[in-house]
Amino acid sequence: MNSATFLIWVRETGFLIASSIFIIGLTIRFFEIFMLGRKKDLSEPKGCAMRGGFKTIFTRFLPQDSNTFQRSYFIIIAGYVFHIGLLVALFLLVPHIELIRAALGFGWVGLPTPVVDFLTVLSLISMLALLWHRLTNPVLKMISDAGDYTAWILTFLPLLTGYLAYHHLFFDYTWLLAFHILSAELLMIMLPFTKLMHTFTIFVSRFYGGAISGHKGVQV
Amino acid sequence: MNQLSLEERLRLHGVSRRGFLKFCAATASLMALSPAMIPRIAAALENAKRPSVIWLSFQECTGCTESITRSHSPSLESLIFDAISLDYHHTLQVASGDAAEHAREQAMKDNWGKYILVVDGSIPLGNKGFSTIAGISNVDMLIETAKGAAAIVAVGSCAAFGGLPKANPNPTGAVSIDMIIKDKPIINVPGCPPIPVVMTGVLAHFLTFGTLPELDHLKRPKAFYGQNIHDRCYRRPFYERGQFAETFDDEGAKKGWCLFKLGCKGPTTYNACATTKWNGGVSFPIESGHGCLGCSEPNFWDAGSFYAPLSTPIGHVAQNAGYALAAGALAGAAIGFANKQKSSQAIEKHEEITVNDLIKGETK
Amino acid sequence: MSAPTLQKGLNAFAEQIDAPIASFFSSCVHCGMCADACLFYTETGNPKYTPIHKLEPLRRFWKQEYTLMGRLKKALGLSKAISDEELEEWKELLYNSCTLCGRCSMVCPVGNDLAYMIRKTREGMAASGHAPIDLVGASNRSVTIGSPMGVRLPALQAQSRKAAKETGLDIPFDQVGAEYLILLSSMEIMNYPEYLQAIAKIFKQAGKTWTLASDAFEATNSGIQIGVSDIARELVSRVVNAAEKLQVKTVISPECGHAYTAIRWDAPNLMGRKLGFKVRHILEVLEDFRQSGLLKTEGLEESKITFHDPCQIARRGGVIDEPRHLLNLVSNNFVEMNDHGKMNWCCGAGGGVSANEEAHEIKIKVFNRKVTQLKELKVDTLVTACANCRIQLEEGLEEYQIDLPVVGLTEMIAEHLVETK
């Protein structure tokens, strides 16, 4: 297989396989979670569970208070920079928007590529820092398992290959582009079955967590 | 005439020594050779005795022949054909029928082991009868003619990669030359059609050095196919800045912005178009306002719409997503139901725990 | 009646896992921020106290039983089953070093309520025989005697007589139709009789009727702490039945954190029905009185005071503003600790830790968190609203050789009541 036919494979068959597993996996995971249900809380509410739930989806984007920030500043800053870079690269790079437009029928305006490029570099650096943190921090060393490192690799590869491809570095561009797409497809395939699922369930868990507090009248 | 060297024949056509050296220099630079090689090219061409060339056309559209012959006449590219003895080319030759085939057989016999075989068009393997010349199937003629060839030049994407005849669902079972001939040096000169000067350049290299030029992983001469169109594109700054033409007649298109969103395949295409250009260096597709089709890359004909951006998937994405969603919902409902069952069963199985049931081995 | 077995424990896990837990485990990215929020980690530096790590058995069970990939792995024999040895190892993490304070739940960036999950994990731990022996004992006393500390009715009656004498007010028992039913924790009966006296005075001034129930005076609930809903239901049903028999409008949870959780939030769910009365924490009632002008005080505390929020009342109970309004009523020098309200630091003794002798050493060690907070403030008086916190605060301050009086908020209010003739 040469680079051109490989590129076609990842754009056609690979994408078909990846998107199918991604959608099937996500749907299964959501059914798995929601069909377990939860008991109706019969206690008299002090606050509004719904309000607490929906509010927490947004408020938990920021640390609770400055002390929490000070105690966990490394993971918060590195985590933020990494996520922002990743999301900007994913959703605001024109070629990616074209992909979304082709798949969903609508798109939006992208950012100039040097901006995306800069944030991608920051994101890559943050990811390396986070990996180092995971490998050296006693708490993270203790709680990390193979799934954490798998997720790291699955996320790092598309960013790295995308960066290399954009700059035409080291390898033939067609190969790089094909590997970039392939790595993104691997991410799609694995996402529903790894902790990367938090991409979607974060809104669910924040809602539930916030609803529990909201019901009791705790400001969230 | 056949005994004259190239330079002498060029003189006859009114080309000066100076003009000849200019051609040699151009060829050297095109092939990324050092300027020190110019005298060597000149000397080789001056002294080259016309090698025999047999040109076979199979499943093709004659576009490649058109490209090489329709270059500005009398151009050096066409003149170089005076440097070879084109003994068989069924589009160009005067002879027909038995005489034509006889010419091929004669040339093969006279130059056994030394002639160059140029092929354009792909070979149908689905049924030998799909394409025949003088009753001889393409595949048989190729195998027979290839036997005595010094080298084979596969001209055009059909001969090099299968081309449009091979496009899905490939009704004729078309294949490229290198799928059939495994024991001869093959140079692929893909493109639909290839740039004329690329064809002549390859021949010049062979005449000069008697060897094949350096080839890439697709057997393409690196000198011409080592450059990425996107890297050399004069519209690249607009790509960097995120300025794209959205349609062929919008402001962006008029301002000459990047054609990525209109499906330009420049980023994954390796060819000399952006530097050598076409029609005597006048222009090339992107300069004319149309995205690159990637015509010199394998399977470009099956790489989705010419007008779909390179980053988009090929195929019926939305329809497939619908099926996947339905399948996921069915499987998810089944698994979710099993989960719920497990949970309910656990609740049913629950035995009331009293304070006497909390210490191991101390059942009261 | 049967012995606890691993099977029963796992069955309890299977019962407990619901959609929120499945979403929590699905969302966890192992960021480790919960460790920084947990005083058992911050004060010891030992990573095993990371809250999410304490949930490892439940997480593995969920993965193996309730996810497609986990089921596949299990079917292929690729996953390690949960063993008795593992649960025994985790006992220390789930009971001795977690007070269910829920501070980790507040900082989790994906919104996981870890305390909710630990409470549920304890169901499986207890059912499989891995609950600390002292909590088993406390539960036993609660069910058989009526109080985890073994306090019986005569002890309360003695305290009541004393309170009646001190205050000159009637301490009513079993008054049908009283507006409020007052509950007490054993600690208040044994250690802090001031509380009952304060109640008598405040309600007298407010002109509200109240009563104690001789068959349901104990508010604490060992079942909640050990993690056995059946026991928790048995205990809480005594209060519910008494309240409904006496036809009170409101049951008042005393200054005790988990008692509030048990009666306010868990009781209806344990009973499987809504209750025929309201449940309020004493601070909520006092704040109601204040707003209705029924709480008339005089004089202000001159000393610099701060308030220790009991976790179950503030972060897990939503009673956060009420104590502040009340404190400002009787003090002009009230200052907040660096982390307070819903972000307070636990005293280190909640969630059954105080009743668990195995946890004694670590509970004193992690009290250092509170010591650090208090040293920053240099206050003269520490006020709180949970008898369990109060014991830990007093004991901890003693251990760390800090001389600082600890006062219950209700008593402090009572001391400032305008004397009625």
Side-chain angles (χ1 to χ4, degrees):
Chain A
M1 185 175 275
N2 58 55
S3 58
T5 48
F6 182 48
L7 177 62
I8 292 171
W9 188 88
V10 296
R11 286 178 62 201
E12 193 169 30
T13 317
F15 190 83
L16 207 70
I17 295 170
S19 58
S20 302
I21 295 178
F22 179 66
I23 293 169
I24 292 172
L26 275 187
T27 319
I28 288 177
R29 289 302 316 279
F30 275 116
F31 272 94
E32 256 174 20
I33 293 168
F34 287 124
M35 280 184 74
L36 278 171
R38 64 173 168 152
K39 275 197 201 153
K40 186 176 161 30
D41 194 333
L42 297 169
S43 61
E44 179 205 351
K46 185 175 163 85
C48 178
M50 282 291 166
R51 195 162 172 271
F54 285 114
K55 210 177 149 197
T56 302
I57 291 177
F58 299 99
T59 54
R60 209 50 75 86
F61 276 115
L62 290 173
Q64 277 293 316
D65 58 355
S66 62
N67 287 340
T68 301
F69 175 75
Q70 275 163 29
R71 269 186 280 273
S72 309
Y73 68 93
F74 178 84
I75 194 100
I76 293 172
I77 293 173
Y80 251 95
V81 172
F82 146 63
H83 275 97
I84 289 171
L86 180 72
L87 292 175
V88 164
L90 181 58
F91 291 115
L92 293 175
L93 182 73
V94 170
H96 295 165
I97 298 171
E98 290 308 305
L99 165 63
I100 291 162
R101 201 190 304 279
L104 303 178
F106 60 91
W108 46 82
V109 181
L111 281 180
T113 21
V115 178
V116 179
D117 189 44
F118 174 70
L119 291 170
T120 304
V121 173
L122 289 186
S123 195
L124 284 167
I125 294 170
S126 303
M127 279 201 81
L128 289 170
L130 287 166
L131 178 65
W132 169 80
H133 187 59
R134 193 171 283 289
L135 289 167
T136 54
N137 179 285
V139 167
L140 291 186
K141 244 165 50 183
M142 165 137 237
I143 62 176
S144 298
D145 54 25
D148 292 297
Y149 297 103
T150 310
W152 187 90
I153 293 167
L154 287 170
T155 314
F156 191 74
L157 278 182
L159 267 178
L160 180 72
T161 53
Y163 179 80
L164 293 180
Y166 172 68
H167 288 279
H168 291 210
L169 290 175
F170 305 126
F171 306 100
D172 170 90
Y173 179 78
T174 312
W175 280 117
L176 274 178
L177 180 62
F179 276 116
H180 173 60
I181 295 173
L182 182 72
S183 66
E185 284 164 359
L186 281 177
L187 178 71
M188 283 167 78
I189 289 170
M190 296 292 285
L191 189 142
F193 310 108
T194 59
K195 71 168 185 174
L196 297 171
M197 186 65 192
H198 79 275
T199 314
F200 297 94
T201 53
I202 188 171
F203 304 106
V204 183
S205 52
R206 280 185 186 171
F207 173 83
Y208 281 138
I212 292 168
S213 289
H215 177 80
K216 295 174 177 175
V218 180
Q219 274 108 39
V220 288
Chain B
M1 179 90 176
N2 273 7
Q3 270 60 51
L4 297 177
S5 75
L6 175 63
E7 193 190 6
E8 286 159 345
R9 270 174 278 124
L10 289 173
R11 289 269 163 73
L12 283 177
H13 284 88
V15 176
S16 66
R17 169 84 187 153
R18 185 186 176 78
F20 173 67
L21 284 174
K22 223 171 125 187
F23 167 76
C24 294
T27 304
S29 85
L30 203 59
M31 295 191 291
L33 298 172
S34 117
M37 296 305 283
I38 298 169
R40 200 170 153 192
I41 294 171
L45 292 181
E46 276 164 8
N47 301 320
K49 294 288 178 257
R50 305 172 64 209
S52 172
V53 172
I54 296 172
W55 185 307
L56 299 178
S57 298
F58 297 139
Q59 288 195 128
E60 47 84 49
C61 66
T62 319
C64 298
T65 303
E66 290 282 338
S67 172
I68 202 165
T69 56
R70 290 277 180 99
S71 52
H72 286 67
S73 188
S75 75
L76 288 166
E77 288 91 332
S78 67
L79 286 178
I80 202 165
F81 274 94
D82 291 336
I84 59 171
S85 170
L86 189 55
D87 293 326
Y88 179 89
H89 187 304
H90 68 224
T91 309
L92 300 178
Q93 70 194 144
V94 178
S96 64
D98 278 351
E101 291 315 303
H102 184 70
R104 179 174 62 87
E105 285 156 14
Q106 192 60 46
M108 284 168 63
K109 207 172 133 193
D110 294 349
N111 301 289
W112 191 257
K114 287 182 285 189
Y115 60 86
I116 297 171
L117 175 60
V118 179
V119 183
D120 66 338
S122 60
I123 296 96
L125 294 183
N127 183 328
K128 284 183 172 186
F130 281 156
S131 179
T132 62
I133 297 161
I136 306 167
S137 71
N138 289 171
V139 63
D140 292 341
M141 185 180 280
L142 175 66
I143 290 169
E144 186 195 334
T145 317
K147 274 183 189 150
I152 300 171
V153 183
V155 164
S157 294
C158 296
F161 305 133
L164 296 188
K166 197 186 165 192
N168 192 30
N170 190 3
T172 64
V175 296
S176 58
I177 305 304
D178 63 2
M179 294 299 284
I180 295 170
I181 306 300
K182 306 282 185 188
D183 56 350
K184 294 284 174 184
I186 295 175
I187 310 168
N188 284 335
V189 185
C192 194
I195 305 172
V197 76
V198 173
M199 288 188 258
T200 54
V202 170
L203 291 175
H205 189 281
F206 188 75
L207 289 174
T208 306
F209 303 107
T211 58
L212 301 183
E214 197 188 345
L215 305 178
D216 69 7
H217 67 291
L218 295 171
K219 303 194 183 85
R220 301 180 297 194
K222 275 192 179 167
F224 303 108
Y225 295 92
Q227 295 173 353
N228 183 280
I229 300 281
H230 189 55
D231 280 346
R232 304 283 166 175
C233 182
Y234 75 106
R235 296 195 190 209
R236 178 74 178 265
F238 297 109
Y239 175 84
E240 307 289 342
R241 262 179 261 146
Q243 292 175 311
F244 298 94
E246 306 278 342
T247 62
F248 284 108
D249 58 354
D250 68 356
E251 266 317 291
K254 285 170 192 158
K255 285 179 178 159
W257 288 356
C258 177
L259 300 167
F260 180 86
K261 284 190 181 178
L262 291 168
C264 181
K265 303 297 183 293
T268 53
T269 305
Y270 292 80
N271 207 336
C273 301
T275 44
T276 304
K277 302 194 181 174
W278 289 72
N279 301 323
V282 171
S283 180
F284 74 112
I286 292 171
E287 198 170 347
S288 309
H290 192 287
C292 169
L293 303 182
C295 75
S296 54
E297 294 297 318
N299 293 32
F300 81 92
W301 51 87
D302 279 340
S305 165
F306 288 154
Y307 301 100
L310 195 52
S311 58
T312 58
I314 304 166
H316 302 287
V317 177
Q319 194 190 17
N320 178 64
Y323 292 145
L325 197 62
L330 277 176
I335 294 167
F337 184 71
N339 276 357
K340 191 67 206 165
Q341 286 289 101
K342 187 175 278 187
S343 169
S344 307
Q345 276 167 14
I347 292 167
E348 272 171 38
K349 269 200 291 190
H350 179 89
E351 295 171 50
E352 193 182 331
I353 299 173
T354 71
V355 286
N356 300 321
D357 304 329
L358 296 172
I359 298 174
K360 289 211 163 191
E362 269 189 42
T363 312
K364 285 178 191 170
Chain C
M1 290 198 195
S2 57
T5 58
L6 178 63
Q7 205 41 52
K8 282 169 93 176
L10 298 180
N11 194 65
F13 283 166
E15 286 178 69
Q16 294 300 325
I17 287 171
D18 56 5
I21 291 182
S23 78
F24 294 156
F25 283 133
S26 298
S27 291
C28 177
V29 292
H30 283 168
C31 72
M33 273 178 73
C34 49
D36 296 327
C38 175
L39 73 170
F40 287 89
Y41 170 71
T42 62
E43 302 315 302
T44 63
N46 191 333
K48 72 175 177 179
Y49 296 127
T50 303
I52 194 68
H53 180 64
K54 297 171 185 169
L55 287 160
E56 194 55 16
L58 187 68
R59 187 194 70 82
R60 284 192 27 226
F61 184 84
W62 160 77
K63 186 120 189 151
Q64 290 172 13
E65 301 297 329
Y66 286 114
T67 70
L68 177 61
M69 282 296 139
R71 285 172 161 207
L72 282 178
K73 268 190 176 173
K74 193 187 166 195
L76 295 170
L78 294 173
S79 51
K80 202 177 83 186
I82 292 156
S83 66
D84 260 320
E85 292 70 35
E86 186 182 357
L87 294 182
E88 186 60 23
E89 193 187 333
W90 250 261
K91 179 166 93 175
E92 177 217 351
L93 301 179
L94 284 158
Y95 287 101
N96 303 7
S97 56
C98 177
T99 58
L100 298 176
C101 84
R103 204 172 184 281
C104 47
S105 305
M106 275 290 154
V107 306
C108 176
V110 298
N112 290 352
D113 192 340
L114 291 104
Y116 174 87
M117 293 197 278
I118 289 190
R119 163 66 186 84
K120 292 196 167 230
T121 308
R122 286 186 182 181
E123 292 278 340
M125 294 295 283
S128 58
H130 296 289
I133 188 75
D134 290 345
L135 289 189
V136 175
S139 301
N140 213 328
R141 286 188 295 278
S142 293
V143 172
T144 54
I145 300 173
S147 142
M149 292 166 77
V151 177
R152 292 171 201 266
L153 183 61
L156 173 62
Q157 285 165 332
Q159 284 293 359
S160 302
R161 279 194 296 275
K162 202 176 142 199
K165 207 174 140 196
E166 285 280 327
T167 58
L169 296 168
D170 187 30
I171 305 294
F173 273 84
D174 303 322
Q175 299 280 316
V176 178
E179 193 172 350
Y180 295 97
L181 173 65
I182 292 285
L183 302 178
L184 298 166
S185 66
S186 298
M187 287 158 289
E188 281 160 329
I189 302 169
M190 301 311 291
N191 302 352
Y192 308 116
E194 311 90 276
Y195 176 74
L196 190 55
Q197 297 168 23
I199 291 289
K201 288 196 260 180
I202 291 167
F203 279 72
K204 169 77 181 166
Q205 192 203 53
K208 296 286 185 183
T209 56
W210 63 284
T211 184
L212 290 166
S214 54
D215 53 354
F217 55 85
E218 177 62 59
T220 64
N221 192 318
S222 296
I224 299 281
Q225 297 181 325
I226 196 168
V228 179
S229 288
D230 293 334
I231 296 174
R233 184 183 308 111
E234 158 70 23
L235 296 176
V236 87
S237 67
R238 294 175 185 173
V239 174
V240 172
N241 292 340
E244 285 173 351
K245 196 177 73 194
L246 297 173
Q247 296 159 28
V248 298
K249 289 200 180 77
T250 303
V251 170
I252 298 178
S253 168
E255 292 196 346
C256 173
H258 86 273
Y260 179 63
T261 289
I263 300 159
R264 178 71 175 88
W265 308 115
D266 290 359
N269 296 311
L270 289 166
M271 306 287 288
R273 64 176 173 88
K274 294 194 173 176
L275 307 179
F277 50 87
K278 288 183 174 176
V279 179
R280 292 291 179 268
H281 188 261
I282 181 64
L283 295 186
E284 290 177 288
V285 176
L286 295 184
E287 172 60 8
D288 263 357
F289 287 180
R290 187 189 70 85
Q291 284 183 5
S292 327
L294 299 174
L295 194 61
K296 291 178 277 293
T297 58
E298 59 188 2
L300 294 170
E301 293 281 329
E302 294 296 317
S303 63
K304 189 176 176 186
I305 61 175
T306 191
F307 184 67
H308 165 77
D309 284 281
C311 308
Q312 296 300 321
I313 291 167
R315 180 163 45 240
R316 309 295 290 178
V319 182
I320 296 171
D321 294 336
E322 290 87 341
R324 278 140 185 100
H325 293 312
L326 293 167
L327 277 162
N328 285 322
L329 189 66
V330 295
S331 165
N332 59 3
N333 201 3
F334 163 60
V335 290
E336 292 281 16
M337 278 186 258
N338 195 8
D339 288 302
H340 59 268
K342 65 175 178 177
M343 292 309 290
N344 79 309
W345 286 97
C346 178
C347 64
V353 169
S354 61
N356 181 358
E357 199 48 40
E358 291 165 33
H360 179 79
E361 198 181 327
I362 193 160
K363 129 186 139 170
I364 296 299
K365 188 167 168 63
V366 300
F367 185 72
N368 186 46
R369 187 75 241 167
K370 194 53 65 182
V371 170
T372 311
Q373 279 189 297
L374 291 170
K375 276 183 178 165
E376 286 167 4
L377 280 183
K378 298 191 177 63
V379 289
D380 307 313
T381 309
L382 175 58
V383 182
T384 190
C386 167
N388 190 55
C389 292
R390 192 168 163 184
I391 290 178
Q392 162 80 345
L393 292 167
E394 285 173 351
E395 195 180 340
L397 290 169
E398 187 71 29
E399 289 273 351
Y400 283 82
Q401 298 177 335
I402 297 166
D403 187 21
L404 179 66
V406 184
V407 183
L409 180 50
T410 308
E411 299 153 44
M412 181 175 259
I413 296 292
E415 277 170 25
H416 287 271
L417 286 182
V418 177
E419 290 290 332
T420 42
K421 299 281 146 42

PDB file of all heavy atoms in Angstrom, chain B residues 16-29:
ATOM      1  N   SER B  16      20.771  27.207 -32.432  1.00  0.00           N
ATOM      2  CA  SER B  16      22.192  27.510 -32.282  1.00  0.00           C
ATOM      3  C   SER B  16      22.825  26.648 -31.202  1.00  0.00           C
ATOM      4  O   SER B  16      22.134  26.027 -30.393  1.00  0.00           O
ATOM      5  CB  SER B  16      22.354  28.985 -31.912  1.00  0.00           C
ATOM      6  OG  SER B  16      21.788  29.168 -30.627  1.00  0.00           O
ATOM      7  N   ARG B  17      24.127  26.659 -31.153  1.00  0.00           N
ATOM      8  CA  ARG B  17      24.887  25.979 -30.106  1.00  0.00           C
ATOM      9  C   ARG B  17      24.470  26.545 -28.739  1.00  0.00           C
ATOM     10  O   ARG B  17      24.268  25.816 -27.770  1.00  0.00           O
ATOM     11  CB  ARG B  17      26.386  26.218 -30.356  1.00  0.00           C
ATOM     12  CG  ARG B  17      27.305  25.797 -29.232  1.00  0.00           C
ATOM     13  CD  ARG B  17      27.633  24.328 -29.303  1.00  0.00           C
ATOM     14  NE  ARG B  17      28.388  23.872 -28.151  1.00  0.00           N
ATOM     15  CZ  ARG B  17      28.378  22.635 -27.697  1.00  0.00           C
ATOM     16  NH1 ARG B  17      27.646  21.712 -28.319  1.00  0.00           N
ATOM     17  NH2 ARG B  17      29.090  22.293 -26.670  1.00  0.00           N
ATOM     18  N   ARG B  18      24.325  27.870 -28.744  1.00  0.00           N
ATOM     19  CA  ARG B  18      23.911  28.561 -27.508  1.00  0.00           C
ATOM     20  C   ARG B  18      22.540  28.064 -27.039  1.00  0.00           C
ATOM     21  O   ARG B  18      22.332  27.766 -25.859  1.00  0.00           O
ATOM     22  CB  ARG B  18      23.862  30.059 -27.820  1.00  0.00           C
ATOM     23  CG  ARG B  18      23.573  30.947 -26.654  1.00  0.00           C
ATOM     24  CD  ARG B  18      23.423  32.377 -27.179  1.00  0.00           C
ATOM     25  NE  ARG B  18      23.053  33.279 -26.119  1.00  0.00           N
ATOM     26  CZ  ARG B  18      23.905  33.758 -25.226  1.00  0.00           C
ATOM     27  NH1 ARG B  18      25.185  33.434 -25.296  1.00  0.00           N
ATOM     28  NH2 ARG B  18      23.491  34.570 -24.282  1.00  0.00           N
ATOM     29  N   GLY B  19      21.629  27.974 -27.987  1.00  0.00           N
ATOM     30  CA  GLY B  19      20.272  27.488 -27.654  1.00  0.00           C
ATOM     31  C   GLY B  19      20.316  26.059 -27.151  1.00  0.00           C
ATOM     32  O   GLY B  19      19.599  25.687 -26.209  1.00  0.00           O
ATOM     33  N   PHE B  20      21.163  25.251 -27.755  1.00  0.00           N
ATOM     34  CA  PHE B  20      21.287  23.853 -27.356  1.00  0.00           C
ATOM     35  C   PHE B  20      21.801  23.744 -25.917  1.00  0.00           C
ATOM     36  O   PHE B  20      21.264  23.010 -25.093  1.00  0.00           O
ATOM     37  CB  PHE B  20      22.235  23.132 -28.328  1.00  0.00           C
ATOM     38  CG  PHE B  20      22.567  21.723 -27.903  1.00  0.00           C
ATOM     39  CD1 PHE B  20      21.574  20.742 -27.890  1.00  0.00           C
ATOM     40  CD2 PHE B  20      23.852  21.374 -27.513  1.00  0.00           C
ATOM     41  CE1 PHE B  20      21.874  19.457 -27.504  1.00  0.00           C
ATOM     42  CE2 PHE B  20      24.154  20.093 -27.116  1.00  0.00           C
ATOM     43  CZ  PHE B  20      23.160  19.124 -27.122  1.00  0.00           C
ATOM     44  N   LEU B  21      22.821  24.573 -25.604  1.00  0.00           N
ATOM     45  CA  LEU B  21      23.374  24.526 -24.245  1.00  0.00           C
ATOM     46  C   LEU B  21      22.341  25.012 -23.220  1.00  0.00           C
ATOM     47  O   LEU B  21      22.275  24.525 -22.095  1.00  0.00           O
ATOM     48  CB  LEU B  21      24.647  25.375 -24.162  1.00  0.00           C
ATOM     49  CG  LEU B  21      25.866  24.718 -24.798  1.00  0.00           C
ATOM     50  CD1 LEU B  21      27.048  25.680 -24.796  1.00  0.00           C
ATOM     51  CD2 LEU B  21      26.228  23.420 -24.091  1.00  0.00           C
ATOM     52  N   LYS B  22      21.535  25.971 -23.653  1.00  0.00           N
ATOM     53  CA  LYS B  22      20.478  26.476 -22.777  1.00  0.00           C
ATOM     54  C   LYS B  22      19.500  25.342 -22.438  1.00  0.00           C
ATOM     55  O   LYS B  22      19.060  25.181 -21.302  1.00  0.00           O
ATOM     56  CB  LYS B  22      19.736  27.613 -23.489  1.00  0.00           C
ATOM     57  CG  LYS B  22      19.447  28.807 -22.593  1.00  0.00           C
ATOM     58  CD  LYS B  22      18.914  29.957 -23.417  1.00  0.00           C
ATOM     59  CE  LYS B  22      17.585  30.444 -22.879  1.00  0.00           C
ATOM     60  NZ  LYS B  22      16.999  31.448 -23.783  1.00  0.00           N
ATOM     61  N   PHE B  23      19.189  24.557 -23.431  1.00  0.00           N
ATOM     62  CA  PHE B  23      18.300  23.417 -23.208  1.00  0.00           C
ATOM     63  C   PHE B  23      18.944  22.434 -22.226  1.00  0.00           C
ATOM     64  O   PHE B  23      18.296  21.930 -21.306  1.00  0.00           O
ATOM     65  CB  PHE B  23      17.994  22.710 -24.545  1.00  0.00           C
ATOM     66  CG  PHE B  23      17.348  21.356 -24.352  1.00  0.00           C
ATOM     67  CD1 PHE B  23      16.011  21.252 -23.991  1.00  0.00           C
ATOM     68  CD2 PHE B  23      18.076  20.193 -24.528  1.00  0.00           C
ATOM     69  CE1 PHE B  23      15.416  20.018 -23.806  1.00  0.00           C
ATOM     70  CE2 PHE B  23      17.484  18.950 -24.329  1.00  0.00           C
ATOM     71  CZ  PHE B  23      16.156  18.862 -23.968  1.00  0.00           C
ATOM     72  N   CYS B  24      20.269  22.215 -22.442  1.00  0.00           N
ATOM     73  CA  CYS B  24      20.967  21.287 -21.545  1.00  0.00           C
ATOM     74  C   CYS B  24      20.946  21.799 -20.113  1.00  0.00           C
ATOM     75  O   CYS B  24      20.727  21.041 -19.161  1.00  0.00           O
ATOM     76  CB  CYS B  24      22.418  21.098 -22.005  1.00  0.00           C
ATOM     77  SG  CYS B  24      22.528  20.271 -23.601  1.00  0.00           S
ATOM     78  N   ALA B  25      21.150  23.130 -19.967  1.00  0.00           N
ATOM     79  CA  ALA B  25      21.155  23.726 -18.626  1.00  0.00           C
ATOM     80  C   ALA B  25      19.770  23.602 -18.001  1.00  0.00           C
ATOM     81  O   ALA B  25      19.627  23.252 -16.823  1.00  0.00           O
ATOM     82  CB  ALA B  25      21.569  25.193 -18.708  1.00  0.00           C
ATOM     83  N   ALA B  26      18.741  23.843 -18.806  1.00  0.00           N
ATOM     84  CA  ALA B  26      17.374  23.753 -18.298  1.00  0.00           C
ATOM     85  C   ALA B  26      17.072  22.335 -17.848  1.00  0.00           C
ATOM     86  O   ALA B  26      16.487  22.110 -16.777  1.00  0.00           O
ATOM     87  CB  ALA B  26      16.383  24.194 -19.371  1.00  0.00           C
ATOM     88  N   THR B  27      17.504  21.377 -18.669  1.00  0.00           N
ATOM     89  CA  THR B  27      17.266  19.977 -18.318  1.00  0.00           C
ATOM     90  C   THR B  27      17.987  19.630 -17.020  1.00  0.00           C
ATOM     91  O   THR B  27      17.422  18.981 -16.137  1.00  0.00           O
ATOM     92  CB  THR B  27      17.754  19.065 -19.462  1.00  0.00           C
ATOM     93  OG1 THR B  27      17.096  19.466 -20.661  1.00  0.00           O
ATOM     94  CG2 THR B  27      17.431  17.617 -19.169  1.00  0.00           C
ATOM     95  N   ALA B  28      19.230  20.123 -16.899  1.00  0.00           N
ATOM     96  CA  ALA B  28      20.003  19.822 -15.694  1.00  0.00           C
ATOM     97  C   ALA B  28      19.315  20.393 -14.455  1.00  0.00           C
ATOM     98  O   ALA B  28      19.179  19.719 -13.431  1.00  0.00           O
ATOM     99  CB  ALA B  28      21.413  20.402 -15.812  1.00  0.00           C
ATOM    100  N   SER B  29      18.835  21.628 -14.577  1.00  0.00           N
ATOM    101  CA  SER B  29      18.231  22.250 -13.397  1.00  0.00           C
ATOM    102  C   SER B  29      16.909  21.570 -13.069  1.00  0.00           C
ATOM    103  O   SER B  29      16.569  21.361 -11.911  1.00  0.00           O
ATOM    104  CB  SER B  29      18.055  23.750 -13.608  1.00  0.00           C
ATOM    105  OG  SER B  29      16.855  24.013 -14.271  1.00  0.00           O
TER     106      SER B  29
END
